[in-house]
Amino acid sequence: MSSIITSIKESPMQQIHHPLLRHHNVQLSIKRDDLYHPLIQGNKWRKLKYNLAAFQASECRQLLTFGGPFSNHLYATAAAGKLFGLSTIGIVRGPELDMHNPTLRFAHACGMKLVAVTRKDYRLRQQKDYLNELKQRFGNVYILPEGGTNHAALRGVAELAQTLPEHDYLVCATGSGGTLAGLCAGHTQRKVLGIAVLKNADYLNHEISQLTSTHHCDWQLMQHFHDGGYGRFSDKQWRFCQDFRATYQLPLEPIYTGKMMYALWQLIAQGDFPAGSRIIAVHTGGLQGLNGLRYRGLLKAT
C-alpha cells in the first residue's frame, strides 16, 4: 500500500484572473485537490491516508465507518478499500438502502458491505456503548468516524498546508471541521477561514477548538453562507458554479466547494480582504456528489 500512496503526486495550483480580483487588488489561487486522485479526491484522501496506514498496521481485519446515503466519505473509503485490497463496512443512515443511488451503487461495486440503520441509531455513532456493539457484531474492526475526522486525518490535511506557496488567507469549506483543523495543524502563516456549509454551525467552533488545542493558528468559522442549510443551495449559487466551470474549467458542486467559492466571491466583492491580499482556496473534491444531486433531480442544468 505504501508504494501506491507515494505514487499519488501532489495536486496543482490554479491562478484565477477576473476583473473583480483586479478591482480589489487581491490574488486568488485554487489548490486543486480534486485532481489528487480520480476516485479518492481532495480532503477525503488527505484524511484517509494515515488512517489507512494505521489500519494496516493494526490487528483489525475490517475498516468500519459512517455516512449518509450520498456521502463523499463513504464513496472515498469504498474506493480506497478496492484500490488497496481492504475490507470495508459502511454504516449508512437509513432506514433502507436504495441501490439505485449512484453513491451506494459505487460503494457496493467496490466491495464495501453496506448496513442501513435508523436515524435514531445513527445518532449514536459517537457513543462508546454503540461502538462497542458494532465491534461485537462485526468483530475486529478499525472504526473511522463520520467524515473521516480524527487525529490521523489531521496529519494528512496538515501536509496540504505545508506544501502551499506564501499567502495571507487560506480558505476551505467546512462540514465536520476536520479540514479546517488539519490546515491549522500544518499552517505557519496568516489566517485560515472556514465556510460552514450547514446551518446552526456554531457548535463547530468547539469541535474545531478541541482538535486545534495543541496548535497556534488564527482561524475563523464563517456561518452566514450556508445558503439554506446542508444539502441546500439556491439557483443563483448553482449558476455561479456552472459559470465558474465554463470560465476556468474548474468544476464545483453546490454542497461544499460551490458554497465556499460563492461565499469567497461575495467576501471579495464586499472588500473584506485588504488590498494586496494573497488568497488560496482549497478545492476539497466531492464531485461525485453531482451524480447524487442529478439522481434526486436537484440540478436544473448540467
Side-chain angles (χ1 to χ4, degrees):
M1 185 171 75
S2 60
S3 61
I4 299 178
I5 287 177
T6 55
S7 71
I8 298 177
K9 304 302 182 183
E10 190 56 53
S11 61
M13 297 283 293
Q14 180 178 349
Q15 187 79 30
I16 302 298
H17 301 281
H18 190 276
L20 177 70
L21 305 176
R22 290 194 295 273
H23 176 72
H24 289 278
N25 189 24
V26 298
Q27 298 177 29
L28 174 61
S29 300
I30 312 297
K31 178 62 170 171
R32 293 291 304 273
D33 263 17
D34 58 309
L35 300 177
Y36 214 143
H37 188 275
L39 297 177
I40 317 173
Q41 290 185 352
N43 64 338
K44 298 310 176 189
W45 170 247
R46 303 279 187 182
K47 291 180 178 181
L48 281 169
K49 180 178 178 180
Y50 289 106
N51 273 295
L52 293 176
F55 169 53
Q56 190 179 48
S58 73
E59 297 180 353
C60 299
R61 296 181 178 274
Q62 300 180 95
L63 188 154
L64 182 148
T65 195
F66 307 84
F70 296 94
S71 166
N72 292 327
H73 172 63
L74 283 184
Y75 185 100
T77 304
K82 177 70 173 179
L83 180 63
F84 299 123
L86 308 175
S87 179
T88 58
I89 302 170
I91 305 298
V92 184
R93 188 181 69 244
E96 297 178 352
L97 297 175
D98 174 10
M99 296 314 298
H100 296 292
N101 167 341
T103 302
L104 297 184
R105 189 170 67 243
F106 173 84
H108 176 73
C110 287
M112 175 175 273
K113 180 177 181 179
L114 299 171
V115 181
V117 298
T118 65
R119 289 177 178 270
K120 180 180 178 181
D121 284 345
Y122 192 80
R123 285 195 288 270
L124 303 175
R125 63 192 178 279
Q126 295 179 332
Q127 295 189 14
K128 186 175 180 180
D129 289 345
Y130 180 65
L131 296 179
N132 286 334
E133 288 179 18
L134 292 176
K135 289 179 180 179
Q136 291 176 3
R137 177 178 176 182
F138 295 107
N140 198 12
V141 293
Y142 181 100
I143 295 182
L144 186 59
E146 180 185 46
T149 294
N150 58 15
H151 288 287
L154 299 192
R155 181 183 172 191
V157 179
E159 289 183 346
L160 184 162
Q162 294 160 358
T163 67
L164 298 174
E166 290 188 4
H167 57 280
D168 302 294
Y169 294 89
L170 184 55
V171 186
C172 68
T174 302
S176 65
T179 298
L180 176 55
L183 292 175
C184 283
H187 200 252
T188 58
Q189 305 174 57
R190 309 310 172 124
K191 190 160 189 172
V192 182
L193 302 178
I195 306 299
V197 302
L198 62 160
K199 201 173 182 179
N200 302 320
D202 190 58
Y203 74 95
L204 283 174
N205 281 302
H206 175 73
E207 300 284 335
I208 297 165
S209 295
Q210 292 293 105
L211 290 168
T212 61
S213 59
T214 59
H215 307 289
H216 300 287
C217 177
D218 184 8
W219 61 272
Q220 181 181 357
L221 180 67
M222 313 200 77
Q223 302 178 44
H224 304 297
F225 298 99
H226 54 73
D227 211 5
Y230 182 75
R232 299 185 179 184
F233 54 93
S234 64
D235 291 343
K236 190 174 182 179
Q237 195 240 111
W238 175 231
R239 285 195 300 271
F240 173 88
C241 292
Q242 294 177 92
D243 291 344
F244 214 86
R245 178 169 188 162
T247 304
Y248 300 106
Q249 292 73 55
L250 197 160
L252 300 170
E253 45 71 41
I255 306 303
Y256 290 96
T257 56
K259 283 188 180 180
M260 174 198 68
M261 285 304 304
Y262 191 47
L264 181 54
W265 218 247
Q266 294 175 70
L267 291 170
I268 294 170
Q270 293 166 189
D272 283 17
F273 297 98
S277 294
R278 299 161 297 178
I279 307 167
I280 295 178
V282 181
H283 192 311
T284 49
L287 296 172
Q288 71 87 24
L290 288 168
N291 291 329
L293 293 173
R294 294 188 185 103
Y295 175 69
R296 289 181 282 173
L298 297 178
L299 297 184
K300 293 186 177 181
T302 58

